Amino acid sequence: ELKVEQNPLFLSMQEGKNYTIYCNYSTTSDRLYWYRQDPGKSLESLFVLLSNGAVKQEGRLMASLDTKARLSTLHITAAVHDLSATYFCAVAPSGTYKYIFGTGTRLKVLA
Amino acid sequence: DGGITQSPKYLFRKEGQNVTLSCEQNLNHDAMYWYRQDPGQGLRLIYYSQIVNDFQKGDIAEGYSVSREKKESFPLTVTSAQKNPTAFYLCASSISPRGVGGETQYFGPGTRLLVL
């Protein structure tokens, strides 16, 4: 069974602190995606990672991909309250046309 | 402006009733998807379509049906066979199912379905 697991599931952190969200997946995939969801809203695309060693950065968020370890990380630098949201990773397994989503990490940044 | 629209924003279903959720995109995307999200949970794939007049079941297709008669439109019907339909339904599209550009999905604003 294909699995995409994120940890932690919940994360409460102080403003200004750094933290990393982990996304592990159980199938072969060369494509990994990160999305953000605000409460009651839809999903917004953050990053597309297409190859082993890929690193993308946008503001205080940086995502990386290690396809050999089947692991992606989303690193938060100097968190601010506006980053409070739920973050999902998703993989598109090789040979399929489906996207499999992780369980989500609910991030709360405290002022 | 290009994007994905879903309607209605809220939908109330009576027991035994079929209801249809609308999804329209003007992004010229080939692939379209329907997901269900339960409170505090991730997304589960209901159906997806790679091309007009073709669609495949996702992980939780029972009690749902779809059609793809036009490239822009991918309506989802929640049938009376779906016994627990209360959820947030999200429609998404991507340029092509497995092209070379990464094909991130673009999501509509969602429809919240509630059972009376």
Side-chain angles (χ1 to χ4, degrees):
Chain A
E1 182 185 347
L2 304 177
K3 285 188 177 180
V4 181
E5 296 181 333
Q6 292 179 233
N7 70 83
L9 297 181
F10 299 97
L11 176 55
S12 181
M13 56 191 297
Q14 296 287 333
E15 275 194 332
K17 298 293 187 182
N18 303 334
Y19 209 84
T20 300
I21 299 170
Y22 298 88
C23 173
N24 290 89
Y25 53 97
S26 64
T27 184
T28 301
S29 176
D30 55 358
R31 301 158 192 260
L32 189 131
Y33 309 84
W34 283 97
Y35 296 90
R36 168 182 171 143
Q37 185 179 36
D38 291 300
K41 304 291 186 182
S42 187
L43 274 73
E44 172 192 355
S45 177
L46 292 175
F47 299 109
V48 178
L49 303 169
L50 296 179
S51 61
N52 187 41
V55 177
K56 294 275 186 76
Q57 182 163 6
E58 180 72 33
R60 301 175 187 274
L61 300 177
M62 183 174 71
S64 65
L65 177 62
D66 181 343
T67 58
K68 294 179 181 177
R70 298 183 182 175
L71 170 69
S72 180
T73 61
L74 181 65
H75 186 73
I76 303 157
T77 301
V80 293
H81 180 71
D82 285 351
L83 291 178
S84 298
T86 299
Y87 293 86
F88 290 97
C89 64
V91 299
S94 302
T96 77
Y97 297 91
K98 296 165 62 172
Y99 296 74
I100 310 298
F101 280 78
T103 46
T105 296
R106 190 170 172 184
L107 171 65
K108 187 171 183 179
V109 181
L110 305 172
Chain B
D1 287 333
I4 301 177
T5 58
Q6 290 185 242
S7 62
K9 187 174 181 179
Y10 296 96
L11 185 58
F12 298 91
R13 192 191 92 163
K14 295 180 182 178
E15 196 169 334
Q17 185 182 38
N18 292 354
V19 293
T20 298
L21 285 61
S22 170
C23 177
E24 303 276 332
Q25 54 98 358
N26 61 3
L27 300 167
N28 199 31
H29 286 176
D30 289 314
M32 297 187 75
Y33 307 79
W34 274 106
Y35 294 93
R36 169 179 172 145
Q37 185 177 33
D38 292 283
Q41 304 294 315
L43 277 67
R44 292 186 290 169
L45 182 64
I46 305 173
Y47 269 97
Y48 63 105
S49 169
Q50 303 164 38
I51 197 169
V52 174
N53 292 323
D54 185 52
F55 48 83
Q56 286 79 40
K57 293 181 179 180
D59 300 317
I60 55 165
E62 186 174 349
Y64 301 96
S65 66
V66 294
S67 63
R68 186 86 187 275
E69 298 176 0
K70 298 186 297 180
K71 187 175 185 178
E72 313 81 60
S73 179
F74 192 41
L76 174 74
T77 297
V78 184
T79 74
S80 57
Q82 173 50 244
K83 298 306 180 186
N84 184 24
T86 297
F88 188 44
Y89 290 86
L90 286 160
C91 179
S93 70
S94 62
I95 293 174
S96 65
R98 295 291 290 178
V100 298
E103 316 93 36
T104 191
Q105 293 186 305
Y106 295 85
F107 284 83
T111 292
R112 203 164 294 276
L113 177 60
L114 300 165
V115 177
L116 293 176

